[in-house]
Amino acid sequence: MRKIVTIVYSVMAAVLLSGCGGVDQALKKGDKFYALGEYYDAAEQYKKAYAKTPAKDRASRGQRALKMGDCYRRINYTQKAIAAYNNAVRFHQADTTALLQLAQLQLKNGSYKEAEKTFLQLLDSLGTTESSLSRPTSDLSPLPSPLLPLVKSGLESARMAPQWRAAGSKYTVKRQDLFNSRRAEYSPMLSGEDFDQLFFTSTRNQAQGDELSGITGTKNADIFYAQKDDKGKWQKPVTIDSELNSPMDEGACSFSPDGKTMYLTQCKTDPSYPRYATIATAQRSDASWSKPTELAIAKDTLSTFAHPAVSPDGLWLYFVSDMPGGLGGYDIWRAELTTNGVGAVENLGEPVNTPGDEMFPTFRPNGDLYFSSNGHPGFGGLDIFIASPLSSPGGDTKAHNSNEAPMGTVWGACTIEHPGFPLNSQGDDFGMTFEGLHNRGYFCSNRGDARGWDHIYSFEKSEVLVTVKGWVYEQDGYELPAGQVFMVGNDGTNKRLSVKGDGSFTEEIELGVDYLFLGTCKGYLNHKEELRVDTATVSNEYTLQFPLANISAPVLIENIFYDFDKATLRPESQTALNELVNLLNENSNVTIELSAHTDYKGSAQYNERLSQRRAEAVVNYLIEHGIAADRLTPKGYGKSKPKTIKKKVAAKYPFLKEGDVLTEEFVTALKDKEQQEQCNQLNRRTEFIVLRTTYGMFDESGQLKGNTK
């Protein structure tokens, strides 16, 4: 009998010893994975250690539950994280930080009553009361200052979230399963001149590489994109066939205003070193993207740099970092983009940033900053917030679109709006992208996903939007993508608008404001348009044209008509003549030669005299309408300068090609009489060419006048 007992005790001791060894080994592996940021793998090891820890060893089980909960929290396994933290509380191993994280997880799970109880328990454990939350932080020495606003915000969230949800909003939200897979999709970003491309990040099986990430338990993320077809229908997402993606993590991309530079987040793989996220850039060549190059933002190599977003004017890079100098957690920072690279870095500060996490900044084209936060009161998890700057002393409500606006003063005096349900939920909601100026587009959320994986949703908010769309192009030619438009309003608006590749721009306007738009381009005369809209009950878009006259080539004046075989201007010419008067007034420093031309019919002397009289008739009209005579030189060329065909004219007349010269020989060689007459009409034209661009700029001594702009 004694021998049997001895054998039993020996077996039990062996089991206990082997169990201890297994626990220690799992803990060591878990700690190693945790140090590398591989929280999925770390959680698996801590789970093993927890399971092998004797039930009587409550303190050890609580410590391992705490580590397990922290890992689950970081990979969005919300319910598992709550269960683990509750075990830590049950075993009396949860400190104030753990209680705060548990309460925030309960918010994220929509368990608002439980969250309220945990926040109150946290206050009690800190030796303070709810009434003290309204007192200054300096008076609450027992309470760590970073914790105070988070507890206050969390309690407000727990108590108000049900009411906010019931109130709803004007947003409509719909899950977009065409873009989604059985894995995670996040950070959508619209691109293209017609917003017909959607880039997003995904851990789906088509991502590069074969290994599963120790961080998430899925494949490392890649950037994918979807394209609309000719009918405007979205096609299924596809991989990007270039060096943009790699077996590493790539994602959360955004674009420069011209769409030629992509800013993205990368997380490099290193089996023995923590993997801090960095920001990289890739360049577009035709339809292909280059291999990303890391963007040097700061010398700090122990902090995360992620979630890049470029301001609408292209002058600032916004990003997320936990570098020293922030308000706590992850903050939104910005750096100036210069021709020499990235400039000085600065924190946006309050009220945008909090002691919590502020992440995923993005801009609506009107200049409003959208970001996600768990530090502001909300439904739980990351909620979307809107930062809108208040009016500056000059009255410009969108001052940060101006090239001279000091950003710090703008975001230091801004309003923070919570757009409510259903745009926000108790899950993580983030990654907004907009279809132009419209309040519609896409975002992502992990609402309703038990695994915590994000998916893409569409959103739209009904609103009356009044916009102006303009085109800058060469008069008698094609678009000018190098053009710019200056927009000035009597409400203090003063913006410089760049145009897209097709020479167009779109901008929102306010009701009751007088706007002046000045189209410009180097080597061309300016063109001015004015617009005022007083009322609008539905969304509307107004169209403006900016035909710019080339200062180095003849410019056709269309719709100038004379009586047959005479120099008398016909009444229907008045509109075109008045437009020419306006053009010369807008460009007061130019002088022009005004020329008239005929077809080949008739003698050279007769055509020259007729065209000279016609040129003089136009000049006389201009003088009668206030244009100085010494700015105008009339010249009749008769048939001596036949028209040279430009690309735009060739597109209108298929029998002509660019570069054709409509000489008498060319026209008479055409067999079709109608084509001959069309050529004769093209030759019968009135044009002008710029002679000088410095008229009135200098005084008699040759010095530049003081009032010259």
Side-chain angles (χ1 to χ4, degrees), residues 440-480:
R440 64 173 180 253
Y442 300 92
F443 74 109
C444 53
S445 176
N446 61 12
R447 62 186 68 184
D449 193 294
R451 299 158 299 184
W453 290 347
D454 308 299
H455 300 291
I456 294 174
Y457 291 75
S458 64
F459 73 91
E460 183 169 6
K461 182 181 180 183
S462 177
E463 63 181 17
V464 175
L465 183 67
V466 183
T467 59
V468 56
K469 184 165 188 176
W471 277 270
V472 181
Y473 56 95
E474 181 182 5
Q475 194 167 320
D476 195 30
Y478 280 86
E479 64 274 357
L480 294 171

Side-chain angles (χ1 to χ4, degrees), residues 74-92:
R74 292 173 182 272
I75 60 176
N76 287 327
Y77 283 22
T78 302
Q79 293 180 353
K80 288 186 176 182
I82 290 173
Y85 275 114
N86 278 330
N87 280 333
V89 172
R90 183 161 58 93
F91 296 135
H92 304 291

Side-chain angles (χ1 to χ4, degrees), residues 29-47:
K29 286 184 177 179
D31 290 343
K32 180 181 178 181
F33 288 136
Y34 188 93
L36 294 173
E38 298 177 348
Y39 303 114
Y40 179 87
D41 287 345
E44 291 297 303
Q45 296 301 320
Y46 292 144
K47 183 179 178 181

Side-chain angles (χ1 to χ4, degrees), residues 390-466:
L390 301 176
S391 297
S392 66
D396 185 1
T397 58
K398 302 297 179 193
H400 56 292
N401 274 350
S402 168
N403 296 328
E404 300 178 358
M407 191 66 64
T409 60
V410 171
W411 298 119
C414 70
T415 59
I416 304 294
E417 176 191 351
H418 184 268
F421 179 83
L423 189 64
N424 284 313
S425 68
Q426 75 263 20
D428 290 328
D429 306 291
F430 61 97
M432 302 282 284
T433 185
F434 293 87
E435 187 182 326
L437 293 172
H438 299 284
N439 202 346
R440 64 173 180 253
Y442 300 92
F443 74 109
C444 53
S445 176
N446 61 12
R447 62 186 68 184
D449 193 294
R451 299 158 299 184
W453 290 347
D454 308 299
H455 300 291
I456 294 174
Y457 291 75
S458 64
F459 73 91
E460 183 169 6
K461 182 181 180 183
S462 177
E463 63 181 17
V464 175
L465 183 67
V466 183

Side-chain angles (χ1 to χ4, degrees), residues 11 139 180 193 325 351 500 508 704:
V11 172
D139 294 344
N180 295 321
E193 292 177 356
K500 299 178 181 178
E508 184 178 1
L704 189 68

